Amino acid sequence: AQKVTQAQTEISVVEKEDVTLDCVYETRDTTYYLFWYKQPPSGELVFLIRRNSFDEQNEISGRYSWNFQKSTSSFNFTITASQVVDSAVYFCALSEANTDKLIFGTGTRLQVFP
Amino acid sequence: GAVVSQHPSWVICKSGTSVKIECRSLDFQATTMFWYRQFPKQSLMLMATSNEGSKATYEQGVEKDKFLINHASLTLSTLTVTSAHPEDSSFYICSATDFLYGYTFGSGTRLTVV
């Protein structure tokens, strides 16, 4: 069965600090997809990234970067030079190729203070 | 890009009444749609998976007679909360998926049962 663990419930940082959100997953499938979503107070889910299990290249998009390590089943997300607008709940999610179900982690609430 | 329209965005209903939530894929045909429920400060929990023209598959613990899902076309799925009670108050969000766009989420429906 698939499972996603986000051990950090809440993180508070001051603006301009770097912050890393952890994500550990479990799956028996060899083909799967990992995602990160941002959920601001409005409730909408904002897609950030999708990574398939065969692509372990790290990715950088502006201030965002992702570190995918199959050896430790982790897909961590780093925000560099955080800003107040980054305050939100961030979810890591996993889907297995044979089910299509997208299962979410418990989320990490990030608060960035000015 | 892919857009999923979800209506209503919020609804207040009396205990014992039924509420219908619509989820439409506007510019693509969704092979599969998913329904999630999110209680305050919690994660998104998958309720059911629906495919056009067939019965929905419910996750363990979700009452199929209470949460009726109809997926009559490739662009529309509905969730009806029957005989709603205050404990059904939650944020409901749908997701549509297809090969090209992956998962696209609606903006969610905040249900309050009084």
Side-chain angles (χ1 to χ4, degrees):
Chain A
Q2 58 197 104
K3 184 180 176 183
V4 179
T5 301
Q6 294 179 255
Q8 303 148 308
T9 307
E10 283 196 38
I11 300 176
S12 296
V13 298
V14 177
E15 225 174 2
K16 296 184 184 175
E17 281 186 37
D18 298 347
V19 58
T20 295
L21 309 182
D22 297 333
C23 173
V24 175
Y25 63 92
E26 293 177 32
T27 178
R28 292 179 188 160
D29 250 12
T30 55
T31 303
Y32 52 90
Y33 302 89
L34 294 163
F35 301 77
W36 275 95
Y37 289 89
K38 174 182 180 179
Q39 188 179 42
S42 62
E44 288 189 41
L45 283 175
V46 178
F47 168 80
L48 297 178
I49 190 171
R50 179 176 93 161
R51 173 68 73 222
N52 75 56
S53 53
F54 299 108
D55 182 4
E56 280 193 79
Q57 265 195 327
N58 291 330
E59 176 141 348
I60 298 174
S61 176
R63 295 184 297 108
Y64 296 168
S65 62
W66 290 270
N67 182 282
F68 177 25
Q69 293 201 353
K70 283 177 81 168
S71 60
T72 54
S73 298
S74 65
F75 187 44
N76 297 337
F77 172 34
T78 297
I79 301 175
T80 304
S82 59
Q83 299 175 2
V84 172
V85 293
D86 295 328
S87 297
V89 180
Y90 290 85
F91 289 99
C92 180
L94 164 72
S95 72
E96 294 173 337
N98 66 347
T99 69
D100 272 349
K101 290 184 195 179
L102 185 62
I103 302 301
F104 287 82
T106 47
T108 298
R109 183 175 300 274
L110 174 66
Q111 293 193 76
V112 182
F113 293 100
Chain B
V3 176
V4 170
S5 173
Q6 185 173 343
H7 291 285
S9 55
W10 60 270
V11 58
I12 301 173
C13 72
K14 288 186 176 180
S15 191
T17 61
S18 295
V19 172
K20 181 186 282 189
I21 302 170
E22 285 192 357
C23 180
R24 266 178 214 279
S25 56
L26 296 186
D27 46 6
F28 68 102
Q29 293 185 328
T31 50
T32 306
M33 287 188 172
F34 302 91
W35 287 95
Y36 293 84
R37 178 169 55 182
Q38 184 181 31
F39 291 110
K41 297 194 175 183
Q42 293 190 25
S43 185
L44 286 86
M45 300 305 297
L46 180 64
M47 299 174 68
T49 304
S50 74
N51 294 291
E52 182 260 342
S54 61
K55 287 185 179 179
T57 303
Y58 290 81
E59 294 298 303
Q60 196 170 13
V62 178
E63 299 173 60
K64 60 179 73 174
D65 293 332
K66 180 164 191 62
F67 299 101
L68 300 179
I69 291 172
N70 184 278
H71 194 158
S73 76
L74 284 171
T75 60
L76 174 64
S77 176
T78 60
L79 167 68
T80 301
V81 183
T82 62
S83 187
H85 290 286
E87 57 265 30
D88 298 322
S89 298
S90 188
F91 187 63
Y92 293 87
I93 191 165
C94 69
S95 170
T97 183
D98 83 331
F99 178 76
L100 182 62
Y101 295 112
Y103 300 93
T104 304
F105 286 86
S107 53
T109 298
R110 201 164 297 281
L111 169 65
T112 303
V113 185
V114 298

